[in-house]
Amino acid sequence: MYNKLKHIEGVNLLPREVVGPALVGSVEYFKGEKSTYHGSLVATTHRLFMNLEDHNMVCVEEISFKDITRVTVEDLLMVGHILHLWQNDKLLVSIKSISEGKLDKFLEFYYKYRTQHAEAAERNEALA
């Protein structure tokens, strides 16, 4: 199941969209009430995907870059690194039990393509 969580199956990628690094761990999802799953966050050049394992099935949820307004990282002694994705003051997703090297690569990829995506959106708005 670990390898299934690192990939996004059944998702149609956009033209020139590339799949990047994935973080696998314990995912806390805050849609309505908080739910915890074994799952992953998979970054692409255009968006993020959240894979949630539920009864030996993997459910895939898309998270748009524009929905994420802030990213924070906590480093807790007994838990390790925790990545939080926020929309304004609302916590969308947290993932914990991840290794530092993978987190660094994930964040580097995310910030690079999030910035490019935002700059392209600004150019499109200026042209409109």
Side-chain angles (χ1 to χ4, degrees), residues 88-111:
N88 301 319
D89 291 333
K90 181 182 172 194
L91 185 57
L92 297 174
V93 176
S94 291
I95 184 167
K96 59 186 171 184
S97 302
I98 51 181
S99 67
E100 184 174 352
K102 291 180 182 179
L103 178 60
D104 292 344
K105 288 179 183 178
F106 181 89
L107 289 173
E108 182 180 320
F109 185 93
Y110 167 77
Y111 287 129

Side-chain angles (χ1 to χ4, degrees), residues 16 34 47 53 72 96 114:
R16 291 181 266 159
K34 178 178 119 177
R47 52 201 165 158
E53 181 184 345
T72 59
K96 59 186 171 184
R114 167 73 167 113

Side-chain angles (χ1 to χ4, degrees), residues 54-98:
D54 193 20
H55 298 38
N56 290 325
M57 294 179 55
V58 176
C59 303
V60 179
E61 296 265 346
E62 179 182 335
I63 303 172
S64 172
F65 283 161
K66 69 181 180 185
D67 291 339
I68 301 168
T69 56
R70 185 170 38 132
V71 175
T72 59
V73 177
E74 279 185 271
D75 188 17
L76 301 177
L77 185 61
M78 300 300 283
V79 178
H81 302 289
I82 304 173
L83 174 70
H84 303 288
L85 303 178
W86 300 81
Q87 183 175 34
N88 301 319
D89 291 333
K90 181 182 172 194
L91 185 57
L92 297 174
V93 176
S94 291
I95 184 167
K96 59 186 171 184
S97 302
I98 51 181

Side-chain angles (χ1 to χ4, degrees), residues 27-45:
V27 177
E28 293 178 345
Y29 184 40
F30 299 89
K31 188 173 185 177
E33 61 184 57
K34 178 178 119 177
S35 301
T36 303
Y37 299 92
H38 182 66
S40 67
L41 288 176
V42 181
T44 74
T45 52

